[in-house]
Amino acid sequence: MWSTARKRILVLGGGCGGISTVRALHKALHGRTDIEIALVNQENSVVFQPMLAEVISGTIGLLTTVTPIRDVCPGATLSVRTVERIDLDNKVVITSHGFRPEQPVLPYDYLVLALGTLDNFGAVRGLQEHGLHCKNLGDALVLRNRLIHLLEEADIEQDAALRRRMLTFVMAGGGFSGVEAIAEVNDFVRDVARRYPHVDPAELRVILVHAGPRILPELPASLSRYAQTMLTRRKVEMRLQTRLAAVTADEAHLTDGSVLPTKTVIATIGATPNPVLLALPCQQERGRLVVNAALEVPEYPGVWALGDCAHILDHKTGQPCPPTAQYAVREGTRVARNIVAAIEGTAPRPFAFSDWGMMSALGHRAAVGQVLGIRVSGWPAWVLWRAVYWSKLPGVTRQCRIALDWLCRVLLPRDYAQLNVAPSERITRAHFEAGEVIMRQGDPGDLMDVMIDGEVEVVQQAEGGERVVATLTRGAWFGEIALFNEEPRSATVRTRTSVNVLSVDRRTFQTLVAHLAPLRDAFERLMQHREAADQARCQQHEQEQVVF
Amino acid sequence: MWSTARKRILVLGGGCGGISTVRALHKALHGRTDIEIALVNQENSVVFQPMLAEVISGTIGLLTTVTPIRDVCPGATLSVRTVERIDLDNKVVITSHGFRPEQPVLPYDYLVLALGTLDNFGAVRGLQEHGLHCKNLGDALVLRNRLIHLLEEADIEQDAALRRRMLTFVMAGGGFSGVEAIAEVNDFVRDVARRYPHVDPAELRVILVHAGPRILPELPASLSRYAQTMLTRRKVEMRLQTRLAAVTADEAHLTDGSVLPTKTVIATIGATPNPVLLALPCQQERGRLVVNAALEVPEYPGVWALGDCAHILDHKTGQPCPPTAQYAVREGTRVARNIVAAIEGTAPRPFAFSDWGMMSALGHRAAVGQVLGIRVSGWPAWVLWRAVYWSKLPGVTRQCRIALDWLCRVLLPRDYAQLNVAPSERITRAHFEAGEVIMRQGDPGDLMDVMIDGEVEVVQQAEGGERVVATLTRGAWFGEIALFNEEPRSATVRTRTSVNVLSVDRRTFQTLVAHLAPLRDAFERLMQHREAADQARCQQHEQEQVVF
């Protein structure tokens, strides 16, 4: 598919910016058989981000908000692959492989970098392990399923404290995406909870944590206040001027010292550049590629960058352009025109654009925003929000589908069927803060843990209280006996410090032990050792180091 | 939620039969506060099976064909759990646990077993590892994503043989579900393929493999012939009087000796009872629970069984009732009435029902069937099919949504956006037939394999052809060096017999080796050993046992 006679324009990334570039290139170069336009993207479709939040709550159908890239980018060769390496000196891009293990090498004459950013969950302890993303369609489906799963579990849970923990939902980040998502989560759980006879609506807590003094800081203060009042009236709790400090399977710790008991932490905080771009020998500004006014990478003529992964200065203010779809789309058009200029030998032109404004949906028929300098709020803003974004949907098909979904939402009750497709992960990482119980004596065994770091104590209940029978650190295992023998846990494991572990579930443990002889031998040795120590301890009534 | 003062009717399984039982019980016992109805099901929703095939092709939206159980079973306590053990002597059911590891014990006074069957993929070599199911909503989504993924890969694949392999889709089983699914798969791939510029429609192959002499054996011969002619005209190839013998990642082997190069084998063959039921001390007939005419398990009064998991004899013919939704629904109503009779101390009544007929959709506006003794085919049958099943949809909400989806399908083009949610499996099993290549010298390393059984030979290319440098059997590993050192494969591994392996991907391998010391030590020892042997071999130009 990669001919050698033609000049090749290669666009990396099929978000708003990449798609806009390809479309503008196709329009300008239509009919030129000497030029090939190619696009590499991880998915075969593009998500219309502004409506992603409505997917969580089921207002819009799962597939309604995504458009197949082939439909919006006719004339481009699409590779549904991940970009693994960019070699600017040799003008080639290496992508992930398909069914055959050889890695494809894509040569280019002109390169457009539109790879966006990734969520930066590494900055908060435990967020990588326990936090939920809210960036693409898969995230929305996972989040939706989690909400339904928690309502189902809460409905049959008799422990009131655990039930409240299940019914507490925390969002970190009060920017546009955080506010829109938490508003939809709030509407969804409060609406659907009515179908759960044993869930008391008063037990539901939806909490928005935001680092700044007001949410939606990009909007004027009066509109932020309006949004806060509206969300508070709908029972969303605000935690301002504080941040996430750590997340575990059961708690969210905030920097102000408070601890929220919750099983659901969603985060829209922080963005980190695609690691492929970090490796490039080009100037970067906080992880974004520095480009000139024409959006070209100065060190490598013929290479352009745009969207969230580029550091672009506004032509009027001299400030960096915001990472919004509005800008990315215009940047894409500009890059396409400048590539055409480069092909035709004419001069490129600088990027210049002023946005029309910003809006945020607040759930249930309310929105807030500033459009062409005018402030709008409430249901007129909501109507405007829908009108504006609806008009920007790619293609009539999408517009019809979304209009029908909105109509259904008015006429029909909300759907809350679970869609289980992801097989449960079998080797996971988990994070614990100091003082948490990892496993409890007497419980059946479901997991084995390997310590990555930190310190835990192994405690056994005996007459006259508990006693510490071991302290374990990095590299130690625990919990394997209960899996091997299908017995209840013989001791409690509690963290002394912040701890990270690798958890292996029963089935994976059995598979590994059955087929990997060295692992089986090591487990058997360890278990013999522990049993011997246990017997010795029973005889001597003394404390031993290795018992659990 | 489980009070002790009330009598409890516990229904296991929320398919057609279970739901029908709960609804009839609720209707009959409405207002009786001394009786509690409880239902255990793995999912919080029930799939309307007849329309599942249309989900694969996107005719119906993903969530349109499922109904939340709470909506159709008001008044019942729902546990979204898996049944793990039934103790008929102590009258308790043990289910899977939720967030806490303790396993819930549900006591009952009356028990209804409606757990259906599972796909029996164990009977064909490699089917468990490589076959696709087509039974529930998750299966439909996985299958749909696979079809789209293969079209995307085929569009950028230059190797014509591999491309044809990707574009060949095999269905095993020509009963109702197999025929309906393959008809939709055929419509979908042939329709969507037009958006893929490098996929030649002539390369698409859709093959139906059926053990008997004609598909849809439950229908009269003339209707089977009609269905075969119609599907053949739409380019579905028929392979009759043959079965699947083995499935690998690249091939389907049939019992007639032919080998179909394909990456997609879907199977609707064979059903196996839920293992929980096999363990019960009750009489079983081919894995189904034998019940009396009133649908009660004779050994345990107060326990009823119905649907696909029960062996029920037809009141007229004396033959077993077919495992269809029509029967399950009627059986559920009868069981509910008989439970009410038992509570009220009146006599139970025997199950008696005659079905109205059977129909099968054949894709694109065609169907075939026999209704009240009259044979129908073509588009009138298709209209009838839609009318009958639409009228049987649970609830007006579902009816509205499906009607809208059908309308959209007429007006709008097909959707083919991928919905990636399942994280790729990190430890998988794979099956190979004799003579297949597991890994090829020179390829980059992406997996490590552990042999479960069989025999492979390790072959190295040298001047003057290839030579076998090792033979490996059960428990041996290969492929780890390329993962450790990020080097290309140093040899080819080819199967000598039918072989099963456990595959560990790069990331999991690195995680395991980093944190499990015994495994790291064993790998390091093995690699040193192999390197030493390799050097020795180079010096001696002789064959060694352990080299790869």
Side-chain angles (χ1 to χ4, degrees):
Chain A
M1 309 304 132
W2 301 89
S3 73
T4 47
R6 302 152 81 192
K7 288 222 171 193
R8 211 165 293 115
I9 307 171
L10 182 57
V11 179
L12 305 184
C16 295
I19 297 283
S20 151
T21 312
V22 171
R23 285 171 68 95
L25 282 170
H26 178 65
K27 209 167 151 190
L29 300 170
H30 195 58
R32 294 264 313 238
T33 53
D34 57 331
I35 294 168
E36 181 183 2
I37 306 165
L39 174 64
V40 180
N41 192 47
Q42 281 192 61
E43 312 265 339
N44 89 333
S45 55
V46 53
V47 180
F48 190 64
Q49 287 285 347
M51 292 184 184
L52 191 61
E54 298 198 14
V55 173
I56 301 168
S57 64
T59 304
I60 293 180
L62 277 172
L63 290 176
T64 317
T65 188
V66 290
T67 312
I69 289 176
R70 292 171 188 281
D71 286 357
V72 285
C73 294
T77 304
L78 173 66
S79 284
V80 182
R81 294 284 168 87
T82 308
V83 176
E84 300 214 326
R85 201 157 60 78
I86 300 167
D87 183 343
L88 295 176
D89 295 313
N90 294 307
K91 291 193 162 194
V92 290
V93 169
I94 290 99
T95 73
S96 58
H97 62 81
F99 287 104
R100 289 185 308 182
E102 301 102 70
Q103 286 188 307
V105 176
L106 312 182
Y108 64 81
D109 297 287
Y110 302 94
L111 182 68
V112 180
L113 303 169
L115 287 166
T117 54
L118 304 174
D119 276 342
N120 182 18
F121 274 21
V124 174
R125 290 195 306 277
L127 190 58
Q128 204 114 47
E129 291 83 355
H130 304 285
L132 291 166
H133 297 259
C134 186
K135 208 175 162 82
N136 62 40
L137 188 62
D139 299 339
L141 180 57
V142 167
L143 178 52
R144 177 188 158 84
N145 273 342
R146 174 80 77 97
L147 300 177
I148 297 167
H149 179 56
L150 285 163
L151 285 166
E152 290 294 345
E153 287 293 324
D155 197 58
I156 51 174
E157 179 57 58
Q158 304 196 39
D159 177 336
L162 178 53
R163 198 167 60 240
R164 280 194 298 271
R165 194 185 293 278
M166 292 177 188
L167 296 174
T168 300
F169 307 96
V170 176
M171 164 67 80
F176 285 100
S177 45
V179 166
E180 295 194 339
I182 202 65
E184 289 289 331
V185 166
N186 187 53
D187 282 2
F188 180 71
V189 295
R190 292 191 189 279
D191 192 359
V192 164
R194 284 179 287 163
R195 327 271 184 104
Y196 292 81
H198 306 113
V199 169
D200 176 0
E203 288 181 325
L204 286 167
R205 285 181 77 189
V206 179
I207 304 167
L208 178 58
V209 177
H210 182 64
R214 61 186 181 90
I215 62 170
L216 300 173
E218 295 88 345
L219 291 179
S222 65
L223 293 178
S224 290
R225 270 199 307 277
Y226 177 87
Q228 279 170 213
T229 310
M230 183 59 92
L231 289 176
T232 306
R233 196 182 302 159
R234 290 187 182 155
K235 297 184 187 144
V236 176
E237 295 173 40
M238 298 284 161
R239 295 295 185 100
L240 302 178
Q241 292 185 288
T242 182
R243 295 166 189 270
L244 274 187
V247 181
T248 75
D250 287 318
E251 290 164 352
H253 294 241
L254 305 186
T255 48
D256 64 7
S258 59
V259 175
L260 305 171
T262 179
K263 293 209 154 276
T264 314
V265 176
I266 315 154
T268 58
I269 48 169
T272 186
N274 190 313
V276 166
L277 297 179
L278 278 181
L280 294 183
C282 307
Q283 201 196 330
Q284 302 185 0
E285 184 68 37
R286 302 174 104 200
R288 293 165 155 215
L289 295 169
V290 172
V291 293
N292 63 23
L295 307 183
E296 200 166 11
V297 175
E299 298 94 330
Y300 289 90
V303 177
W304 280 265
L306 60 89
D308 297 9
C309 72
H311 180 76
I312 300 168
L313 297 180
D314 189 280
H315 68 296
K316 279 191 204 150
T317 63
Q319 292 296 306
C321 292
T324 64
Q326 269 186 77
Y327 274 90
V329 168
R330 300 306 178 100
E331 288 158 12
T333 320
R334 176 43 51 211
V335 164
R337 289 189 187 144
N338 286 349
I339 291 177
V340 173
I343 292 170
E344 292 174 349
T346 59
R349 286 175 51 192
F351 174 68
F353 171 64
S354 299
D355 64 356
W356 51 261
M358 286 177 159
M359 300 187 82
S360 174
L362 299 175
H364 198 64
R365 292 175 208 171
V368 72
Q370 186 166 32
V371 179
L372 304 172
I374 299 160
R375 296 174 190 187
V376 285
S377 62
W379 71 261
W382 177 77
V383 171
L384 188 63
W385 187 96
R386 285 208 161 174
V388 168
Y389 286 115
W390 188 80
S391 73
K392 292 190 174 293
L393 279 164
V396 179
T397 305
R398 219 45 49 188
Q399 290 181 327
C400 291
R401 285 194 194 272
I402 293 216
L404 277 173
D405 280 355
W406 280 342
L407 181 69
C408 282
R409 183 60 206 97
V410 176
L411 302 174
L412 304 174
R414 243 185 237 282
D415 230 326
Y416 60 102
Q418 239 179 316
L419 178 55
N420 282 326
V421 279
S424 52
E425 286 266 348
R426 301 192 286 193
I427 300 181
T428 51
R429 284 164 192 265
H431 174 79
F432 298 88
E433 288 288 287
E436 285 197 88
V437 169
I438 301 185
M439 45 188 67
R440 197 180 299 276
Q441 188 171 343
D443 279 351
D446 54 341
L447 293 169
M448 183 206 95
D449 289 312
V450 182
M451 290 184 67
I452 296 171
D453 57 25
E455 191 178 305
V456 301
E457 56 189 17
V458 181
V459 175
Q460 272 179 338
Q461 301 297 328
E463 320 81 60
E466 60 175 40
R467 87 204 156 105
V468 177
V469 291
T471 305
L472 303 175
T473 55
R474 184 168 186 281
W477 310 333
F478 49 84
E480 79 289 352
I481 294 183
L483 292 193
F484 237 140
N485 303 347
E486 312 221 351
E487 281 173 358
R489 301 286 188 204
S490 60
T492 293
V493 178
R494 199 163 44 208
T495 56
R496 281 193 173 160
T497 62
S498 162
V499 168
N500 288 295
V501 302
L502 203 66
S503 285
V504 181
D505 75 7
R506 179 193 295 270
R507 214 177 111 198
T508 309
F509 174 79
Q510 283 163 349
T511 305
L512 290 175
V513 165
H515 300 292
L516 285 169
L519 206 57
R520 182 172 56 239
D521 296 347
F523 276 121
E524 279 168 0
R525 276 198 308 276
L526 181 69
M527 281 178 60
Q528 279 164 11
H529 185 60
R530 285 189 179 168
E531 271 166 32
D534 218 15
Q535 278 175 0
R537 193 170 49 76
C538 288
Q539 285 160 8
Q540 299 164 23
H541 288 274
E542 276 173 17
Q543 186 179 326
E544 291 279 333
Q545 255 315 75
V546 184
V547 236
F548 178 55
Chain B
M1 309 303 133
W2 301 88
S3 73
T4 48
R6 302 152 81 193
K7 288 220 169 194
R8 211 166 291 116
I9 307 171
L10 183 57
V11 179
L12 305 184
C16 296
I19 297 283
S20 151
T21 311
V22 171
R23 286 170 67 94
L25 282 170
H26 179 64
K27 209 166 151 190
L29 299 171
H30 195 60
R32 295 260 317 232
T33 52
D34 58 330
I35 294 168
E36 180 182 2
I37 307 165
L39 173 64
V40 180
N41 192 48
Q42 282 190 63
E43 313 264 338
N44 89 334
S45 56
V46 52
V47 181
F48 191 64
Q49 286 285 345
M51 292 182 184
L52 191 61
E54 297 198 16
V55 173
I56 301 167
S57 64
T59 303
I60 293 181
L62 277 172
L63 289 176
T64 317
T65 188
V66 289
T67 312
I69 288 177
R70 290 172 190 281
D71 286 356
V72 285
C73 295
T77 304
L78 173 66
S79 284
V80 182
R81 294 284 167 88
T82 308
V83 176
E84 300 214 325
R85 200 158 61 79
I86 299 167
D87 184 341
L88 295 176
D89 295 313
N90 294 307
K91 292 195 161 191
V92 291
V93 169
I94 290 98
T95 72
S96 58
H97 63 80
F99 287 104
R100 288 185 306 181
E102 300 103 68
Q103 286 189 305
V105 176
L106 311 183
Y108 64 80
D109 297 286
Y110 301 95
L111 182 68
V112 180
L113 303 170
L115 287 165
T117 55
L118 305 172
D119 276 342
N120 182 17
F121 274 19
V124 175
R125 290 195 305 278
L127 189 58
Q128 205 114 48
E129 292 82 356
H130 304 286
L132 291 167
H133 297 259
C134 185
K135 209 174 162 83
N136 62 40
L137 189 63
D139 299 339
L141 180 56
V142 167
L143 177 52
R144 178 188 158 84
N145 273 342
R146 174 80 78 98
L147 300 178
I148 297 167
H149 179 57
L150 285 163
L151 285 166
E152 291 294 344
E153 286 293 322
D155 198 59
I156 51 173
E157 179 57 60
Q158 305 197 40
D159 177 337
L162 178 53
R163 197 168 59 241
R164 280 194 299 271
R165 194 185 294 277
M166 291 176 189
L167 295 174
T168 301
F169 307 96
V170 176
M171 164 67 80
F176 285 100
S177 46
V179 166
E180 295 194 338
I182 201 66
E184 289 289 331
V185 166
N186 187 54
D187 283 2
F188 180 70
V189 295
R190 292 190 188 279
D191 191 359
V192 165
R194 284 178 286 163
R195 328 271 183 103
Y196 293 81
H198 307 112
V199 169
D200 177 0
E203 288 182 324
L204 286 167
R205 285 180 78 190
V206 179
I207 304 168
L208 177 58
V209 177
H210 182 64
R214 59 186 182 89
I215 63 170
L216 300 172
E218 295 87 348
L219 291 180
S222 64
L223 292 178
S224 289
R225 271 198 307 279
Y226 177 86
Q228 280 170 213
T229 311
M230 184 57 93
L231 290 176
T232 307
R233 196 183 301 158
R234 290 185 182 156
K235 299 187 184 141
V236 175
E237 295 174 40
M238 297 283 161
R239 296 294 185 99
L240 302 178
Q241 293 185 287
T242 183
R243 295 165 189 270
L244 274 187
V247 181
T248 75
D250 286 319
E251 291 165 351
H253 294 240
L254 305 186
T255 49
D256 65 7
S258 59
V259 175
L260 305 170
T262 179
K263 293 208 156 275
T264 313
V265 176
I266 315 153
T268 57
I269 48 170
T272 187
N274 191 311
V276 166
L277 297 179
L278 278 181
L280 293 183
C282 307
Q283 201 196 330
Q284 303 185 0
E285 184 71 36
R286 300 175 105 200
R288 292 165 156 216
L289 294 170
V290 173
V291 293
N292 63 23
L295 307 182
E296 199 166 10
V297 175
E299 298 93 331
Y300 288 91
V303 178
W304 280 265
L306 60 89
D308 297 9
C309 72
H311 179 74
I312 299 169
L313 298 180
D314 190 280
H315 69 294
K316 279 189 204 151
T317 63
Q319 292 295 306
C321 292
T324 64
Q326 268 185 77
Y327 274 89
V329 168
R330 300 304 179 104
E331 288 158 12
T333 319
R334 176 41 54 211
V335 164
R337 288 187 188 147
N338 285 349
I339 291 177
V340 173
I343 292 171
E344 292 174 350
T346 59
R349 286 174 53 192
F351 174 68
F353 171 63
S354 299
D355 65 354
W356 51 261
M358 286 176 160
M359 300 188 82
S360 174
L362 300 175
H364 197 64
R365 291 174 210 171
V368 72
Q370 187 167 30
V371 179
L372 303 172
I374 299 161
R375 296 175 190 186
V376 285
S377 61
W379 70 261
W382 177 76
V383 172
L384 188 63
W385 187 96
R386 285 209 162 174
V388 167
Y389 285 115
W390 187 78
S391 73
K392 291 188 174 296
L393 279 165
V396 179
T397 305
R398 220 43 53 187
Q399 291 182 328
C400 292
R401 284 193 194 273
I402 293 216
L404 278 173
D405 280 357
W406 281 341
L407 182 70
C408 282
R409 182 62 205 95
V410 175
L411 302 174
L412 305 173
R414 243 185 239 281
D415 230 325
Y416 60 102
Q418 241 178 313
L419 177 55
N420 283 325
V421 279
S424 52
E425 286 265 350
R426 302 192 285 192
I427 300 181
T428 52
R429 283 164 193 265
H431 174 80
F432 298 89
E433 288 288 288
E436 285 197 87
V437 169
I438 300 185
M439 45 188 66
R440 198 180 297 276
Q441 190 172 342
D443 279 352
D446 53 342
L447 292 170
M448 184 206 95
D449 289 313
V450 182
M451 290 184 67
I452 296 172
D453 57 25
E455 190 179 305
V456 300
E457 56 189 19
V458 181
V459 175
Q460 272 180 337
Q461 301 296 329
E463 320 81 59
E466 61 175 41
R467 88 205 155 104
V468 177
V469 292
T471 306
L472 303 175
T473 55
R474 183 169 187 281
W477 310 333
F478 51 85
E480 79 288 355
I481 294 182
L483 292 192
F484 237 141
N485 303 347
E486 312 222 349
E487 282 173 358
R489 301 286 187 203
S490 60
T492 293
V493 177
R494 198 162 48 207
T495 56
R496 280 190 173 161
T497 62
S498 163
V499 168
N500 288 296
V501 302
L502 203 67
S503 286
V504 181
D505 75 5
R506 179 194 294 269
R507 213 178 111 199
T508 309
F509 173 80
Q510 283 164 348
T511 304
L512 290 175
V513 165
H515 299 293
L516 285 170
L519 206 59
R520 183 172 57 240
D521 296 346
F523 276 119
E524 279 169 0
R525 276 197 308 275
L526 180 70
M527 282 180 58
Q528 279 166 10
H529 184 61
R530 284 187 180 168
E531 271 167 32
D534 217 17
Q535 278 176 358
R537 193 171 50 78
C538 288
Q539 284 161 9
Q540 299 163 22
H541 288 276
E542 275 172 20
Q543 185 179 326
E544 292 278 336
Q545 256 315 76
V546 185
V547 237
F548 177 56

